[in-house]
Structures are given as structure tokens and as C-alpha cells.
């Protein structure tokens, strides 16, 4: 609740990487800001995803805030790709260093956000019934924060432990001596499976769609490597604001070179590891024949690693171009299937009949299971925003407005919902780039926008419907120029039954997008409409 009954300047929903930076930035401008967070502490996805093997696939020196040069110089990363505990320690360190927790209400889940047209304020209500009011409401609710459990017949009858990777308990489950089942082979499944295989007596993996995964070749970071990168941190950060993550981008097409040269390049990148592999040539995500060459290379690698030919066959993706589902990065994933305590069930060939109290029946065979791990993904991008009952001008519900898919201007605002900002939402590059680069850009844009309103004593800013329509079309066209819409991915909402099939992220380079956002500002917030304080509610 508001202290003294005075509205806050801003309410931020979520205390992950986005919410924390929003609080820091707005506080620095003198805005009275409060953050509401469902978890018991800071961290967002890195608070919830404590499953064994959880690790970022952007290198740690790049997956960090750039807004404070002392912070980036002082913090020491230990590994090339930081594991979840280290990233969470970093986020906790940021919260302490900038004294952020004092303005955060933890264990506070928001259920509704209602715009008051007379007052030009948002009232945000929590599960406990507390109400907070502010001029601005900022959704820092995360792109992948609403976990989805699989709707499989009889799963509610299963009496063993069930864990979702995105809601992993703080007290780590003990799989020693247990028969464990894992459903899902996306990024989370591919990370957790090798770890559980080492702990459990037996592991059964239920795979519906095979995914492409590239080895991480994670390693300790030497102090020399770290010092060398930090010596040029400003240049690296400037480049990241153009390209997202500092991959080795190519200016050649895959079919412009000989088959031998292509293979050499794929092999070289495979040995270096990580998402960099996907950037071997510049046409891999726009040309299917080009993509076929890299997909064939990975399928051959899978067959060379996995000893059982039938298992290898099941692990080879064959229904989407490489990179059109988020590419996975692993540590010993394919090798795990050479273990004698691991069995792969290819659900496309042998679907689950049903779960029961002590296990699962597949093609007439009973498989006893003690613990079930669901690595079954999220209601991505729009899910966390729509989980809250948001109502804008004239009481219109965002759930109704977005019934056919999310509609935004620049991915930051949605018409009819004044002073409601979304960080790294649908219609922005978001999950297609290094998330922290996207977060910092959005927070800065929103903070500058709020400063603009304050300097001119304006009550509201809202996206115009016309400009929003043009932006949605622009985002659709960007996706259509790529192979990305060809996969049944969560980018398209295809993993959620009944979710509109709309390609949600904006498939442009972050540098291009940043300039588009800046151009809008330079043209006097073109496409946005303002109301003056005295005209609020008119
Ligand atoms: O989720 P996913 P995730 N029966 O949606 C399967 C980021 N991330 O948590 O493909 C059987 O990708 C589903 O099968 P299908 C990253 O952006 C990053 O793994 O729908 N299977 C799929 O295999 C990532 O993309 C990192 O056929 C069912 C899996 O569950 C995003 O988070 C680490 C099923 C879900 O895969 C989400 O990844 C982890 C059912 N009923 C996550 N329902 C890193 O930085 C779903 N599935 C490394």
C-alpha cells in the first residue's frame, strides 16, 4: 500500500534483471518507485530455475549489466558460461550494492492492474488484497516466467514427486537411487538430463520433438582472459548494443563456398562451442537450402556420438530448420544416451497412454517412476503479462485486446493502456538477443519517456492504434523474411494449445531496433499521444 496515501510515480512488477534495473534507474531520477515481486527474493528466472545444470548460454562477461563501470570491473566471473547459483549471487550483489531491496515487496503476487482515467493512475492489487497506486506501471514480468505443465492423461493421478524446471525447489530434490522421468527436451531438459542421469538409478526421457544442441565447452575463466575482456569493456558493450551478443558473424553465404569449406567452418565452430555455431554463414536463418547444410552437419555429429543407431535416429531433429526453435547448448547431452541407466522414449513413435499412481504406461508397457521432472516450457512473452488482469481506458481488458495475439508499439506500449510499459515484451527483439542488452535499452527508453512527461507536466502517454497497427505489420514482415516461423516454437505460441499463432519477438538486429526507437523519440514521440495534466481523463 502507498505510504501517506500519495501515489507512487511508478510501480514495477517483477524483481528480476529488468525490474531491478528499472528501480535503480527510476530512483536515480527521483521517482518514487515500488517493486512488487511474487518470489521471496530477487532474481526472476534465475531465482526460480535452480535445477541442476541450469546455466546461461550467453558468456558470463557479456551476460551482465553494463550500466555501472565499477560493477562490471569488480565482479569476477568464474566460468565461461555462468551457472545459475553464480548468476543469482551476482543479482543479489547488485541488489545489495545499490540498496534495492528496501523498495521491493517480496512474496507479493499481483493479480490486477486497473487504469483510472480520472486520476491518470494505475491501481495494482495483490493476491493478499493490498492495493498500490502509481502514475506509471512497468511490467518487468519476464519473457519466460509462466511455467506450463503437460496435459497428459492421468498425470494428476501420479503420486510421486513432480517438479517443473522453472519452479525448482530451494531444497534440491534427491534423485539418488530413484527412477526418474523427464518430459521435455528443450534448453532446460537438455541441461537437466545429463545431471539427473548421473544421480538417478534410472532415467527415462520422454521426447516429443528432437532439438538441435551444440556443445558449450564450458570452462573456468582465467584471470588473464577476464582482464583482457574487461580492458576493452566499453568497446564490447558498444558493439553488443548493435549486435546483441558478440558472436563471430560471417559475411558469406553457406552455398557460396565449397562443401569442404563449409564442413571445415562448421567443425571449427563446433569445437569452439555455443550459439556462435549458428552464425557460421549469414544466410542460415533465411535460406532453407543453406540451413539444410548446417542441420545435416549436426545430425552427423549426433550419429557419431550416440552409439545406438536407433536412439541416434530419434535424437536427430527432422521437422524444423536449425535455429528456428531456440538452439540449445549443452554439456554432455548426446553422450548421456550412451549410459546404461538412460532410456529415450520417442513420443512420436510411442506416445504415452496415460500416467497412473506409480508411473506411466507407454505403448502398453508400464514404466515405474518415482520422480517426474517437467521441462515443458513456458507460456512465453505474453503469458506473464496476461496472467494479470490488466484493464486500460474504458475498462478494456488486455486479455480481450490481445485475444488474437499481442499488439504493441515498439514492443514497449500497447494502445489503450496509457502509462503501462512492458520491458522486453512481444514486438521487441527480446528473447532473440542477449536479454540484458534488451532490458537496459528498454529501461533507458522508458526512463527517458517518464522524464519527458515530468518535464512537461504531462499526465499520460499512450500508443496510437494506427502506429501500433503499423508496428505489428512491421514485426510480422521481419519474421516472414526469415525461416523462424517454420517451426512450432514458443516464439509463435505454438506450445500452448489455443494460443494465437503469431510470431511474437521482433526479428531485427538490436542496433536497427534501437535506432527505430530513437527515431520515434527524435520525431517527438511519433505514434504516441499525450494528455496534459489538466486534461487527464478527458
Ligand atoms: O522450454 P521449451 P524450456 N508432452 O518450450 C516438451 C530459455 N532457456 O524450458 O517441442 C511431451 O523450449 C516440448 O516438446 P515440443 C531458452 O530461451 C535458456 O526448455 O513442444 N513433451 C519441448 O521439448 C529456451 O528456449 C537456457 O514437441 C512436451 C519441451 O517440453 C526457453 O528458455 C536454459 C509436452 C519444452 O521446451 C524455454 O526452454 C533453459 C507434452 N505434453 C531455458 N509439453 C539457457 O540459457 C511440452 N513438451 C541455456
Amino acid at each position: 500500500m502507498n505510504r501517506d496515501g500519495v501515489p507512487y510515480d511508478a510501480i514495477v512488477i517483477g524483481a528480476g534483471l529488468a525490474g531491478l534495473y528499472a528501480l535503480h534507474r527510476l530512483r536515480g531520477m527521483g521517482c518514487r518507485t515500488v517493486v512488487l515481486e511474487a518470489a521471496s527474493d530477487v532474481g526472476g528466472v534465475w531465482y526460480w530455475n535452480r535445477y541442476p545444470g541450469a546455466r546461461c548460454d550467453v558468456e558470463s562477461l557479456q551476460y551482465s549489466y553494463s550500466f555501472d563501470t565499477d560493477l562490471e570491473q569488480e565482479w569476477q566471473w568464474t566460468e565461461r558460461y555462468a551457472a545459475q547459483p553464480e548468476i543469482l549471487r551476482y543479482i543479489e550483489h547488485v541488489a545489495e550494492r545499490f540498496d534495492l531491496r528496501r523498495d521491493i515487496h517480496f512474496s507479493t503476487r499481483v493479480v490486477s492492474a486497473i487504469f483510472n482515467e480520472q486520476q491518470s493512475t494505475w491501481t495494482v492489487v495483490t493476491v493478499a488484497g493490498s492495493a498500490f497506486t502509481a502514475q506509471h506501471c512497468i511490467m518487468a514480468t519476464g519473457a519466460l516466467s509462466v511455467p506450463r505443465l503437460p496435459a497428459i492423461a492421468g498425470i494428476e493421478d501420479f503420486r510421486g514427486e513432480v517438479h517443473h524446471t522453472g519452479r525448482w525447489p530451494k531444497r534440491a530434490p534427491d534423485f539418488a537411487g530413484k527412477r526418474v522421468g523427464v518430459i521435455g527436451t528443450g534448453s532446460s531438459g537438455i541441461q537437466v538430463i545429463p545431471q539427473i542421469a548421473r544421480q538417478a538409478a534410472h532415467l527415462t526421457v520422454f521426447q516429443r520433438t528432437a532439438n538441435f544442441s551444440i556443445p558449450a565447452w564450458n570452462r573456468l575463466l582465467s584471470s588473464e582472459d577476464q582482464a583482457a575482456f574487461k580492458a576493452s569493456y566499453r568497446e564490447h558493450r558498444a558493439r553488443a548494443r548493435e549486435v546483441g551478443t558478440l558472436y563471430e558473424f560471417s559475411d558469406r553465404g553457406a552455398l557460396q563456398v565449397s562443401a569442404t569449406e563449409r564442413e571445415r567452418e562448421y567443425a571449427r565452430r563446433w569445437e569452439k562451442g555455443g550459439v556462435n555455431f549458428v552464425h557460421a554463414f549469414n544466410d542460415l536463418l533465411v535460406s532453407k537450402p543453406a540451413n539444410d547444410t548446417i542441420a545435416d552437419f549436426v545430425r552427423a555429429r549426433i550419429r557419431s556420438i550416440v552409439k545406438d543407431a536407433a536412439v541416434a535416429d530419434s535424437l536427430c531433429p527432422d521437422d524444423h530448420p536449425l535455429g528456428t526453435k531456440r538452439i540449445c547448448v549443452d554439456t554432455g547431452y548426446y553422450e548421456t544416451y550412451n549410459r546404461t541407466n538412460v532410456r529415450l522414449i520417442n513420443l512420436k513413435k510411442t506416445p504415452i497412454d496415460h500416467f497412473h499412481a506409480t508411473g506411466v504406461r507407454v505403448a502398453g508397457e508400464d514404466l515405474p517412476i518415482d520422480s517426474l521432472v517437467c521441462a515443458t516450457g513456458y507460456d512465453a512473452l505474453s503469458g506473464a503479462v496476461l496472467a494479470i488482469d490488466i484493464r486500460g481506458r474504458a475498462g478494456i481488458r488486455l486479455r480481450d485486446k490481445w485475444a488474437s495475439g499481442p499488439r504493441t508499439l515498439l514492443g514497449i506500449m500497447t494502445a489503450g493502456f496509457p502509462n503501462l510499459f512492458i520491458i522486453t515484451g512481444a514486438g521487441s527483439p527480446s528473447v532473440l538477443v542477449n536479454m540484458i542488452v534488451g532490458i537496459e535499452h528498454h529501461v533507458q527508453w522508458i526512463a527517458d519517456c517518464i522524464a519527458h512527461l515530468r518535464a512537461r507536466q504531462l499526465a499520460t502517454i499512450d500508443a496510437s492504434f494506427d502506429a501500433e497497427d503499423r508496428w505489428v505489420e512491421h514485426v510480422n514482415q521481419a519474421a516472414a523474411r526469415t525461416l523462424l516461423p517454420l517451426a512450432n516454437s514458443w516464439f509463435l505460441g505454438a506450445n500452448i494449445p489455443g494460443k494465437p499463432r503469431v510470431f511474437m519477438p521482433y526479428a531485427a538486429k538490436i542496433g536497427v531496433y534501437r535506432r527505430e526507437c530513437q527515431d520515434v523519440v527524435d520525431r517527438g514521440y511519433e505514434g504516441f499521444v499525450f494528455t496534459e495534466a489538466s486534461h487527464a481523463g478527458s
Side-chain angles (χ1 to χ4, degrees), residues 55-267:
R55 194 178 284 287
C56 188
D57 63 10
V58 176
E59 296 195 20
S60 48
L61 283 155
Q62 297 182 51
Y63 191 78
S64 53
Y65 289 121
S66 73
F67 69 83
D68 187 289
T69 48
D70 291 340
L71 170 70
E72 71 184 6
Q73 288 296 332
E74 285 164 24
W75 183 264
Q76 295 294 314
W77 294 101
T78 65
E79 295 180 88
R80 177 184 183 191
Y81 297 105
Q84 177 272 339
E86 185 168 20
I87 299 175
L88 190 57
R89 276 200 302 281
Y90 169 74
I91 298 172
E92 288 168 351
H93 169 76
V94 170
E96 270 153 43
R97 184 185 176 111
F98 299 101
D99 190 19
L100 299 177
R101 283 194 180 88
R102 72 180 150 90
D103 286 322
I104 307 175
H105 294 248
F106 293 107
S107 306
T108 301
R109 184 170 287 283
V110 170
V111 289
S112 66
I114 316 280
F115 184 64
N116 178 321
E117 288 193 62
Q118 275 66 47
Q119 307 293 327
S120 294
T121 54
W122 283 92
T123 296
V124 170
V125 177
T126 71
V127 166
S130 303
F132 296 80
T133 299
Q135 186 183 3
H136 303 284
C137 182
I138 300 173
M139 306 297 291
T141 39
L144 293 157
S145 52
V146 179
R148 292 291 300 185
L149 286 166
I152 299 176
I155 201 161
E156 61 288 349
D157 299 330
F158 178 65
R159 280 201 253 104
E161 304 183 310
V162 180
H163 299 290
H164 190 287
T165 44
R167 283 290 177 276
W168 205 256
K170 279 190 180 164
R171 192 192 171 102
D174 181 7
F175 296 121
K178 296 214 173 121
R179 293 161 302 188
V180 182
V182 174
I183 305 179
T185 51
S187 295
S188 305
I190 279 173
Q191 288 189 326
V192 83
I193 284 164
Q195 299 286 327
I196 295 180
R198 275 192 231 128
Q199 296 172 26
H202 190 269
L203 170 64
T204 308
V205 176
F206 299 94
Q207 172 195 276
R208 189 164 64 184
T209 306
N211 261 314
F212 293 97
S213 188
I214 313 304
W217 307 127
N218 187 38
R219 55 176 162 74
L220 293 178
L221 264 184
S222 71
S223 42
E224 293 76 28
D225 282 353
Q226 190 147 192
F229 195 90
K230 285 181 173 179
S232 307
Y233 234 144
R234 293 299 85 214
E235 291 79 8
H236 293 318
R237 299 295 199 187
R239 175 105 181 104
R241 285 192 269 277
E242 276 301 308
V243 299
T245 309
L246 309 184
Y247 298 123
E248 218 186 313
F249 295 99
S250 168
D251 53 11
R252 298 181 304 171
L255 303 177
Q256 290 172 341
V257 303
S258 69
T260 315
E261 197 171 343
R262 253 192 329 262
E263 288 288 304
R264 198 184 309 125
E265 181 62 0
Y266 292 147

